[in-house]
Amino acid sequence: MSVEKADLGGFVTELLPALSRSLAEEFNVFRVMHHGTHEKQLSNVFAWLLRPEATHGLGDAFQRIFLDRVNAGLSTEDKLPAAGYRVFQEVNTTGEDEAVDGDVGRDIADVLLSSEDAAVAIENYGTSDGHGHDYHRYLAHAAGSGRRAVVVLLCIRRVPHLQRDGWEQATVVTYAEVLNDLKEHVANDRVWRRRHAEQHFFLEQMFHHFLEGPTAVNLNDQLAFIKAMCDTGESERYAMAHRDRAAAEFADIFAEHAQRQFEDSRNALTEVKARLRSFAFDALRQQVNEKLDSGLIEKVEARYRGRWEWCVQLWRADDYPALYLVFGHTAVVTVERVPEQVPSPDYLRVFVTHLPSGPNPPKRVIQTEVSLAEVMAGLAADDVRLRDAVLAAAITD
């Protein structure tokens, strides 16, 4: 089915079982504690990491990592010192000349990094959104009496259209950016990992939760969704008082998982393409040529883009049409075009076809016994399954 024809409700329903397994089965200390479901909880974690004297034992490493990301978005003259900041939380940015009634009118920054000559006011939220806070108050409070100051939106996802009322001037830093940097730093510090095993475990859980793990219509679809929410322990979201926040937080979890799955799966297709081309060049070409009297395979390429990207071309001599090893979306497009229907196509396998020049569709598409997983694992040099399929396709020339 083409992307244009895809039914969104059906797509989500197809994804839901995988999302449900991820939400239900993977142990993670953040999920056990239901930690990270409120910005204050995550601000506590980031403030802990930013404090050089804290129990993580990393010194000012994370402060430097964070400032590197902040400075990356600033001009040379506006860059801030890389370290040397004290860390404060829940800082009231309301000016002394502004009248407030108790807590009414108070504008609270989640975290403030402060030194004698520079400061960073941080608003931590799921998206890059000031969500009602006053950017100019944050900036004025951080600047104080002449300090260099920056306001930062620390968030899971960049959503530029939500940045307005001054927040479009804020520097955006995502969890993934700073946590990936911290993950690399920790991976390169064997001594720290040995001396701080408990902290290392905590950070590994954090990396998995925010970088790697899931963070997942008609009436029947709605009921199936409700059942999945109950089965996976996520149904408590239905009891949250703030419906919009509950929906947004769940959508963020769904979006993170779906984005990671999409990126990982596309990378897998790229790996299949590279390995399939290598096998075709090193082994398949010779296997096929030993069986042919004419139309030998002279060249192997994998240069197409777009809908034809997921294929390997076998160029032949004597004006014979090229043969193609296709998979993924290219296999879908090819199967849709061929007059001879492929019964129950399995798109986790490699297909073989030939595409004659001009608008005419291929005469035949052959589904091979070779799976994409086998290609990824590496095909043996004496595996002749692709050879037999290629020879079968050549008969239709």
Side-chain angles (χ1 to χ4, degrees):
M1 178 177 292
S2 66
V3 174
E4 295 84 285
K5 297 177 183 177
D7 172 64
L8 183 59
F11 176 65
V12 172
T13 302
E14 287 291 327
L15 280 182
L16 190 57
L19 289 170
S20 299
R21 285 192 295 274
S22 297
L23 291 170
E25 295 175 2
E26 293 184 358
F27 167 77
N28 187 280
V29 66
F30 283 82
R31 293 199 62 77
V32 172
M33 297 187 302
H34 293 269
H35 205 287
T37 58
H38 190 278
E39 63 188 74
K40 176 64 165 63
Q41 296 173 326
L42 287 176
S43 295
N44 289 340
V45 176
F46 282 112
W48 174 71
L49 287 170
L50 285 164
R51 289 189 175 96
E53 74 281 5
T55 55
H56 47 66
L58 291 164
D60 64 0
F62 187 73
Q63 195 172 109
R64 291 179 179 277
I65 285 170
F66 183 78
L67 264 296
D68 282 346
R69 286 291 177 177
V70 172
N71 283 329
L74 303 177
S75 61
T76 302
E77 59 272 18
D78 292 331
K79 292 187 185 301
L80 304 180
Y85 299 88
R86 296 177 64 194
V87 180
F88 303 91
Q89 287 184 258
E90 298 292 298
V91 177
N92 180 17
T93 64
T94 308
E96 293 182 0
D97 57 344
E98 296 181 79
V100 296
D101 180 11
D103 286 337
V104 178
R106 289 160 57 91
D107 209 2
I108 307 298
D110 294 316
V111 181
L112 178 72
L113 304 183
S114 178
S115 69
E116 290 186 4
D117 57 353
V120 181
I122 302 171
E123 180 55 33
N124 174 42
Y125 195 58
T127 54
S128 57
D129 179 4
H131 62 107
H133 292 284
D134 191 316
Y135 168 85
H136 302 287
R137 279 180 175 174
Y138 277 42
L139 183 61
H141 183 87
S145 55
R147 292 189 299 190
R148 286 179 290 170
V150 173
V151 178
V152 172
L153 284 167
L154 178 61
C155 58
I156 296 173
R157 291 186 294 121
R158 298 174 188 266
V159 187
H161 73 267
L162 295 178
Q163 293 174 236
R164 47 185 179 267
D165 299 326
W167 287 102
E168 63 275 10
Q169 303 172 51
T171 297
V172 178
V173 176
T174 67
Y175 293 3
E177 289 170 343
V178 290
L179 291 180
N180 271 316
D181 292 345
L182 180 59
K183 184 178 180 180
E184 182 178 357
H185 174 84
V186 167
N188 292 328
D189 193 341
R190 183 181 302 176
V191 174
W192 180 88
R193 296 199 308 273
R194 186 177 68 251
R195 293 179 178 175
H196 300 84
E198 293 179 346
Q199 292 92 327
H200 183 218
F201 170 78
F202 179 82
L203 290 185
E204 286 291 303
Q205 292 283 292
M206 190 176 186
F207 298 149
H208 179 73
H209 187 67
F210 292 107
L211 301 179
E212 302 161 6
T215 36
V217 210
N218 60 36
L219 178 59
N220 288 336
D221 289 338
Q222 293 167 2
L223 294 175
F225 190 89
I226 292 170
K227 181 179 185 301
M229 291 286 281
C230 294
D231 290 344
T232 59
E234 295 294 317
S235 59
E236 66 177 308
R237 296 182 187 276
Y238 291 130
M240 293 176 66
H242 300 287
R243 297 180 182 180
D244 290 344
R245 167 167 279 181
E249 288 176 354
F250 183 76
D252 286 342
I253 292 174
F254 193 105
E256 285 180 69
H257 187 90
Q259 180 180 358
R260 180 172 65 89
Q261 290 287 58
F262 176 80
E263 291 171 350
D264 288 351
S265 61
R266 199 182 196 286
N267 290 338
L269 287 172
T270 302
E271 184 68 16
V272 168
K273 183 175 180 178
R275 290 177 179 264
L276 195 57
R277 180 189 178 281
S278 177
F279 178 80
F281 182 85
D282 295 332
L284 180 61
R285 179 176 55 167
Q286 181 178 348
Q287 291 175 351
V288 172
N289 288 347
E290 288 175 351
K291 297 293 182 179
L292 293 177
D293 296 323
S294 59
L296 303 182
I297 297 174
E298 292 187 323
K299 186 168 57 174
V300 175
E301 289 186 337
R303 301 175 61 183
Y304 288 170
R305 291 293 181 266
R307 63 171 54 187
W308 307 114
E309 181 172 359
W310 310 114
C311 76
V312 173
Q313 304 99 53
L314 309 177
W315 300 106
R316 303 171 66 194
D318 307 318
D319 294 324
Y320 278 79
L323 295 167
Y324 293 77
L325 309 177
V326 299
F327 57 96
H329 181 60
T330 304
V332 174
V333 173
T334 305
V335 167
E336 287 179 344
R337 294 183 65 204
V338 71
E340 181 180 329
Q341 185 176 6
V342 179
S344 303
D346 179 359
Y347 292 114
L348 291 180
R349 296 187 182 276
V350 178
F351 294 73
V352 178
T353 188
H354 69 86
L355 303 180
S357 59
N360 297 324
K363 297 177 183 178
R364 187 182 181 194
V365 177
I366 298 173
Q367 178 176 297
T368 76
E369 297 178 0
V370 177
S371 70
L372 303 189
E374 289 176 302
V375 175
M376 291 280 281
L379 297 173
D382 59 354
D383 189 329
V384 296
R385 291 175 296 169
L386 285 179
R387 180 205 67 182
D388 294 343
V390 167
L391 291 173
I395 294 174
T396 62
D397 291 343

